[in-house]
Amino acid sequence: MKWSTVKDEPVRDILGGANKTLIERLLQRKYNGDVSSVPVIDYLAPAPTSIPVPAGVSRTVSGEQVTYEFSDKLPETGAWLETLAGPELSWLRALVTSKTIVRGSSYVDNGLQRLLAPRRGQKIVVSYSNGIPASVTIYGAARSYGPHIDDFKAVEIKYDASSKKIDVIVFEERSGVSVPLTLQFVFKPSQGFAPIHEVATDRNKRIKEFYWKLWYGDNETLPAIDLNETFVGPEVTIKQEDVEQFCTVVKNQGEAYTSARNKPVQAPMDFAIVTGWKAIMKSIFPSAIDGDLLRLVHLSNGFRMVEGAKPLQVGDVCKAEAKIVSVINANEGKIVKVKGHVYRKGERVIEVVSAFLYRGTFTDYENTFEITEEPDYLVPFDNAAAIGVLESKEWHDWDDESFSPSVGTPLIFRIRSRISFKDKTTYRELKVEGEIFIRNQLKVLEKVGSVEFSDTNCLGNPVLAYLQRHGTPQGLSTPLANDGYSLAKGDSTTTFTAPLTNEPYSKISGDFNPIHINPYFSDFASLPATITHGLWSSAATRRYVETVVARSNPERVLACV
């Protein structure tokens, strides 16, 4: 390199020397070599321009506190964030105006801009220390519709100048108690492009602890939960007032659920979620499922009456158990599926299957798995060659060594599979077990054999592949021979409107997820607004099936999936 004076000088030293020389020349040219005269700013960014307080915003100064309040006319979000950021480069300006923040090793959109958007009824207090912002506190507007606590502290932002740490605390009110969610950030002014870094360590754990308190009690602590354990809910007695409240909220006016006409009073099939909620929701809390609960979506829910069981009734004492049956990394995110049962007097009454989606991209396959109970497969044997194909398989054993399949007599296979994933297409481990039956002269199934297979690093399930190729699944739903039912009648409509507020359903169901009622949380979660519970939509839809298909006889509805 030109001007180099050292033999075999490392490139790092060469470039460092050139950089140092340029700095010295710039310092001499601009500031006569005096370092103390170089102006100091908090971080590298364009100098803020002075803008007036937006219309519709009142500003009051008292000592080192500035208070903003909104009228019915809200300012444009960008103009308000500029006002909140203040006229100087500071941690607060970086926090509210940065389009991008760093989370772990990723650059993500700054969700705090949505969190801090202007809302009707808000009051914002900015506290200063020696002219530097120290904290921001936001009061009010914690509900998307209807009255709430006027002076409720919804958001608090605190800055520690010594460590440059920023705590953003978002509060949700549950039964008169304020439950905090703490998000942690660090201000790194040397990184001008993205000076705000979110602390990713234990972030998802902190969010889970917040949700655990919302759903299980503000004094409760998140326990260690294993992926493979059975979750047990509390004992619940079905009360008349709870059934009536549930039916009012989901607008189900079925006569079977009213005390004026029936003794005893039935509970809708959807009421199973009230009795089973705490058992089912434990499935999203294992530490092995490292997902952001703020990005959780209740993907689907299904109910099925256990064969021979009678519907739930007022006065029943119920308990629920649930177990995770799959954790899968899909294109749309991580899907957790849980299967549970509501018990009455120790007997299963209703099966509940729920699926939850963590939105995002996941590559952690070490804790992904799927447990599947396949439908019964009927395998016919039309000739000796078909029997030979089965006998060549090493994954089955006959209970009686003298038994052998015969031509013309089909076998019924009932198998269960457990798959652990290595990646999207490869199984790390596969285990299949099951039973083989024959139907006797009385049409009763008799066990004649068993199935057992295991393999590692495989691409498919050979047992299931054989059954799908040679057999026919039994008990599956089949389309109706006619055109089915029309849920629309000439004297009624099947159109319904989602509720203006989701609080009533939150209270009766136990689902206190704040994305349904608190706009701060729904905005931070990148949702268009507070969203209606999927279970409310399911219950509101199912009532038409009861009315039209079952002719207002809800006990005829055996499943809703």
Side-chain angles (χ1 to χ4, degrees), residues 304 375 473-480 559-561:
R304 186 180 300 276
Q474 305 296 293
L476 300 183
S477 301
T478 55
L480 295 172
C560 186
V561 295

Side-chain angles (χ1 to χ4, degrees), residues 33-56:
D34 182 8
V35 175
S36 62
S37 62
V38 178
V40 177
I41 59 174
D42 231 20
Y43 67 100
L44 290 173
T49 57
S50 180
I51 61 171
V53 176

Side-chain angles (χ1 to χ4, degrees), residues 54-75:
V57 180
S58 67
R59 181 177 186 271
T60 306
V61 180
S62 177
E64 287 202 302
Q65 277 194 347
V66 178
T67 301
Y68 299 93
E69 294 186 78
F70 296 119
S71 65
D72 288 339
K73 181 182 178 181
L74 293 178

Side-chain angles (χ1 to χ4, degrees), residues 101-104 184-188 191 194-199:
I101 64 173
V102 178
R103 179 184 298 157
Q184 298 174 337
F185 300 83
V186 178
F187 177 43
K188 297 187 177 183
Q191 301 186 22
I196 301 297
H197 290 231
E198 184 171 6
V199 178

Side-chain angles (χ1 to χ4, degrees), residues 16-50:
N19 185 54
K20 181 180 179 182
T21 301
L22 288 173
I23 293 173
E24 289 174 349
R25 289 183 178 181
L26 181 62
L27 181 64
Q28 185 64 39
R29 184 185 308 163
K30 292 290 186 179
Y31 304 103
N32 295 321
D34 182 8
V35 175
S36 62
S37 62
V38 178
V40 177
I41 59 174
D42 231 20
Y43 67 100
L44 290 173
T49 57
S50 180

Side-chain angles (χ1 to χ4, degrees), residues 53 55 100 140 159 164 180 216 311 314 387 402 411 426 428 451 459 463 492 511 540:
V53 176
T100 303
Y159 178 64
K164 298 191 182 301
Y216 296 93
V314 169
I387 296 175
S402 64
L411 296 178
T426 308
R428 186 174 69 250
V451 174
L459 295 174
V463 180
S492 64
D511 183 358

Side-chain angles (χ1 to χ4, degrees), residues 383-405:
N383 49 55
I387 296 175
V389 172
L390 174 62
E391 293 289 18
S392 69
K393 308 300 180 183
E394 297 181 354
W395 41 256
H396 76 282
D397 285 306
W398 304 119
D399 293 346
D400 185 346
E401 293 183 359
S402 64
F403 177 84
S404 178

Side-chain angles (χ1 to χ4, degrees), residues 341-507:
H341 290 89
V342 177
Y343 289 80
R344 176 180 55 202
K345 295 181 179 180
E347 299 291 332
R348 291 180 174 182
V349 181
I350 297 179
E351 178 188 89
V352 183
V353 179
S354 284
F356 302 91
L357 169 67
Y358 288 92
R359 293 173 293 156
T361 302
F362 296 88
T363 57
D364 56 326
Y365 285 91
E366 60 272 14
N367 292 310
T368 56
F369 68 94
E370 184 174 27
I371 301 172
T372 306
E373 293 185 8
E374 301 294 343
D376 288 356
Y377 274 86
L378 180 71
V379 179
F381 297 97
D382 298 329
N383 49 55
I387 296 175
V389 172
L390 174 62
E391 293 289 18
S392 69
K393 308 300 180 183
E394 297 181 354
W395 41 256
H396 76 282
D397 285 306
W398 304 119
D399 293 346
D400 185 346
E401 293 183 359
S402 64
F403 177 84
S404 178
S406 57
V407 174
T409 302
L411 296 178
I412 294 95
F413 290 75
R414 183 176 296 165
I415 66 168
R416 297 165 295 282
S417 305
R418 181 183 174 96
I419 300 164
S420 299
F421 292 93
K422 183 177 181 179
D423 52 42
K424 273 190 176 181
T425 58
T426 308
Y427 300 159
R428 186 174 69 250
E429 185 178 16
L430 167 67
K431 290 185 178 180
V432 184
E433 60 181 20
E435 300 80 34
I436 307 173
F437 299 92
I438 192 171
R439 199 176 295 278
N440 64 20
Q441 294 178 343
L442 299 177
K443 305 300 181 182
V444 176
L445 293 181
E446 288 185 0
K447 182 174 176 294
V448 295
S450 55
V451 174
E452 189 171 346
F453 176 83
S454 63
D455 198 2
T456 57
N457 297 320
C458 52
L459 295 174
N461 185 338
V463 180
L464 181 61
Y466 167 84
L467 296 177
Q468 290 175 335
R469 188 163 54 248
H470 297 279
T472 305
Q474 305 296 293
L476 300 183
S477 301
T478 55
L480 295 172
N482 55 24
D483 292 330
Y485 293 88
S486 174
L487 294 184
K489 291 183 176 181
D491 58 348
S492 64
T493 176
T494 53
T495 301
F496 59 86
T497 304
L500 292 172
T501 173
N502 298 311
E503 274 201 277
Y505 189 84
S506 292
K507 291 177 180 178

